[in-house]
Structures are given as structure tokens and as C-alpha cells.
């Protein structure tokens, strides 16, 4: 293992970033952004850990929209050397529509996105290229979109990575539309939890996929060998997944503007604190503080406040 004690932290986030088109008004105006669950977490991790190296691991095409995503990653300070480039392919895209009541709905064009070819042959980026990392982070969306063979290879590699001292963080982020069946999703999530050190699921997702309630969810995750992490419970705040059942007293935001990216930013706040030596309690508090800010803004990624 090349993990030296005194060098900056190395983190890799694996997944899909997409072009986001937010419909603005009936005249057809739209705003274009770049977002994706693991991408959002990577951006916040980089902001919270300015001395760390944070790589975004994905596959893109070579067209203009792919360049936009590549440039966005770079402008957020992410390492881009583990981004596979596939001439002829394009990234995924989604549109956000907001109805007059402020209710948002999403339409996706991602079924043939370049990111789906991540870790598939022929390739220049393989799971083994992440071996020097201290932490690898991925989600159930990552697992859902990559090819079954790539999924199996990634999970097998994670086992080897952990046996050499690497740490793995995972958010199931269950999206039924991305899976052929709930059975397939359950099997993949169980396999991922088996390779997870820090689990960051949300209670709603766990109930949707596995049934039961909060107590059953916590018991199931602990029985699966999870030793760290937090179960996100929306406005009620998180509860620890280390067997302590600790849950910080949290402030609830009454005027929620947009919950997009809430879970992703929570994960970054939690991981940044945990990687800096904070306790699970401190990590949950930090995750919630950041997520509570994010829900008060439109969009997944908070604008950077210029320092004077
Ligand atoms: P996800 O976005 O993954 O579905 P949650 O809905 O549980 O996850 O929200 C993620 C996190 O966002 C929560 O753990 C909490 O910290 C924060 N959050 C969500 N809603 C609120 C709220 N109304 N007030 C304060 N924090 C909130």
C-alpha cells in the first residue's frame, strides 16, 4: 500500500455527473448547471478539505456537454485524471420543471450516458487506479448505472482495498427507475454494505427498499457489519450507525426552499469531519449543519461566498 501517513488525504468519488437544465419560465428560458449525487458530494468535500486531493471518477464523451462537465469538475478543484473519455458518447441530462405551486418534477435522459461505460473494457481507468486513496465514496446510483460486470469488479476490488487499509463510504440513494427490479437493487445494496466502513443511507430509501421502520433499519445495518456512519432522517436529523444510537439535537429549517443535494451535502459534511478525526457525533452535527444550509437554497451546490 502506498498510503503514506504524512501526505494530504486522497479521496475518490465514483459516479455520474449530468447536465442539469432548470426550466425558468413559460417563455422557454432555462438555466444550465452540472450536478449528480456523488459529484455534489465531491464538490463539498473539496471545499471542506482544501488540502485534500478529491478525484471525481466517471466516464464522459468528448462532445461539448462532456467538456462542460470536465471543466466544471476542474473549476471546483476536483482531480480529473480518473475520468474516462469515450469519443462518440454523451453525458446524461435532466430537466427540472417547477409548477406554479413550487413543486418540482424531473425528466431524465441518461439511459445511454457515457458514465454507464465506466470500468467497462476497453478502458484506461480501472478500480485498481484508486488504490492509493484513503477513502473511496460511491452510491447506489453509481452501482445502478455501471454494467453488471463492472459492478461486480468494483465490489471485489473494494474488498481488497479495505484489506489494505483503505476506507469505503456508501450512500444507497435508492432510485427505483434505475434498477431492473427491487430484488436486483436489494442484492446490490447488500453487497455494497458488506464492503462499507461508513454507511450514509437515508431512512426513506431504506424503508422503500427493505421495508420495516427505523429500529429494524438500524438493526439490519449493524447486523450487516456497518461500524460507522449515520442514518439520515430528514428534518429530524441523523442517528449514528455505530451501535450507540446517538442522535444530535438539531435545528429544523421551517422554510425549506429546495431539498436537492441535502443528502449529498450531509455526506460531505459528515465525511470531512470524520476524516479530520472528529467523532461520529461531531460528524453528524457537521453534516446536518451543511445540509440545513443547502435546503435553504435553490440547487444542489451552494454558491461560493467570496472571501474579502
Ligand atoms: P435525502 O436528501 O438523501 O433524501 P434527507 O431528506 O434525510 O436525505 O435529508 C438529508 C439531510 O438534510 C438530513 O439528514 C438533514 O440533515 C438535512 N435536512 C433535510 N430537511 C431538513 C430540514 N427541514 N431542516 C434541517 N435540515 C434538514
Amino acid at each position: 500500500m502506498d498510503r503514506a501517513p504524512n501526505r494530504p488525504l486522497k479521496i475518490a468519488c465514483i459516479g455520474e455527473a449530468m447536465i442539469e437544465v432548470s426550466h425558468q419560465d413559460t417563455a422557454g428560458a432555462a438555466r444550465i448547471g452540472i450536478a449528480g449525487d456523488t459529484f455534489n458530494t465531491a464538490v463539498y468535500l473539496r471545499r471542506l478539505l482544501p488540502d485534500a486531493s478529491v478525484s471525481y471518477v466517471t466516464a464522459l464523451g468528448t462532445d461539448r456537454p462532456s467538456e462542460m462537465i470536465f471543466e466544471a469538475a476542474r473549476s471546483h478543484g476536483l482531480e480529473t485524471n480518473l475520468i474516462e473519455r469515450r469519443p462518440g458518447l454523451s453525458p446524461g441530462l435532466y430537466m427540472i420543471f417547477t409548477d406554479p405551486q413550487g413543486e418540482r418534477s424531473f425528466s431524465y435522459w441518461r439511459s445511454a450516458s457515457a458514465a454507464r461505460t465506466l470500468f467497462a473494457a476497453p478502458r484506461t481507468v480501472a478500480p485498481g487506479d484508486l488504490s492509493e486513496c484513503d477513502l473511496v465514496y460511491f452510491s447506489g446510483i453509481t452501482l445502478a448505472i455501471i454494467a453488471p460486470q463492472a459492478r461486480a469488479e468494483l465490489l471485489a476490488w473494494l474488498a481488497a482495498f479495505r484489506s489494505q487499509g483503505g476506507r469505503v463510504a456508501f450512500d444507497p440513494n435508492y432510485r427505483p427507475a434505475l434498477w431492473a427490479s427491487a430484488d436486483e437493487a436489494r442484492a446490490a445494496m447488500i453487497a455494497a454494505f458488506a464492503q462499507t466502513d461508513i454507511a450514509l443511507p437515508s431512512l426513506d430509501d431504506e424503508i422503500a427498499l427493505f421495508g420495516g421502520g427505523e429500529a429494524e433499519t438500524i438493526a439490519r445495518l449493524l447486523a450487516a457489519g456497518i461500524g460507522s456512519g449515520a442514518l439520515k432522517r430528514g428534518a429530524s436529523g441523523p442517528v449514528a450507525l455505530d451501535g450507540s444510537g446517538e442522535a444530535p439535537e438539531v435545528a429544523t429549517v421551517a422554510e425549506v426552499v429546495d431539498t436537492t443535494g441535502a443528502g449529498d451535502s450531509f455526506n460531505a459534511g459528515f465525511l470531512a469531519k470524520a476524516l479530520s478525526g472528529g467523532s461520529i457525533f461531531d460528524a453528524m452535527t457537521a453534516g446536518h449543519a451543511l445540509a440545513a444550509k443547502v435546503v435553504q437554497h435553490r440547487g444542489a451546490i451552494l454558491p461560493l461566498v467570496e472571501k474579502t
Side-chain angles (χ1 to χ4, degrees), residues 294-306:
V294 169
V295 301
Q296 295 177 70
H297 286 81
R298 197 159 278 290
I301 297 175
L302 288 173
L304 266 182
V305 179
E306 293 298 326

Side-chain angles (χ1 to χ4, degrees), residues 103-235:
E103 217 33 64
R104 286 151 58 91
S105 60
F106 298 81
S107 293
Y108 290 90
W109 291 262
R110 70 191 301 186
S111 56
S113 70
R116 292 184 177 248
T117 70
L118 180 64
F119 299 144
R123 65 189 183 187
T124 60
V125 178
D129 295 332
L130 283 61
S131 296
E132 286 180 26
C133 291
D134 301 285
L135 179 85
V136 168
Y137 172 75
F138 68 109
S139 77
I141 295 179
T142 312
L143 288 183
I145 62 153
I146 61 177
Q149 204 184 330
R151 190 188 298 160
E153 185 192 355
L154 173 62
L155 291 170
W157 174 79
L158 287 172
F161 172 68
R162 295 174 78 215
S163 73
Q164 292 166 5
R167 281 204 284 173
V168 175
F170 173 64
D171 179 348
N173 249 339
Y174 176 47
R175 299 291 178 273
L178 294 177
W179 294 96
S181 66
D183 280 342
E184 186 195 30
R186 263 189 297 272
M189 303 300 190
I190 289 168
F193 279 130
Q195 301 307 334
T196 296
D197 298 288
I198 304 173
L200 295 163
S202 79
L203 180 58
D204 290 352
D205 284 355
E206 291 304 290
I207 292 174
L209 189 55
F210 292 98
E214 182 177 326
E216 289 92 339
T217 299
I218 294 173
R220 175 172 50 75
L221 291 167
L222 295 178
I226 298 301
S228 180
L231 181 66
K232 287 167 280 181
R233 302 177 301 175

Side-chain angles (χ1 to χ4, degrees), residues 69-99:
I69 294 175
F70 193 85
E71 278 310 313
R74 229 207 308 253
S75 72
H76 283 296
L78 302 178
E79 302 297 329
T80 53
N81 56 315
L82 295 176
I83 297 182
E84 183 86 57
R85 305 304 294 266
R86 306 275 193 199
L89 294 185
S90 295
L93 178 148
Y94 68 101
M95 283 186 77
I96 306 173
F97 299 93
T98 309
D99 73 11

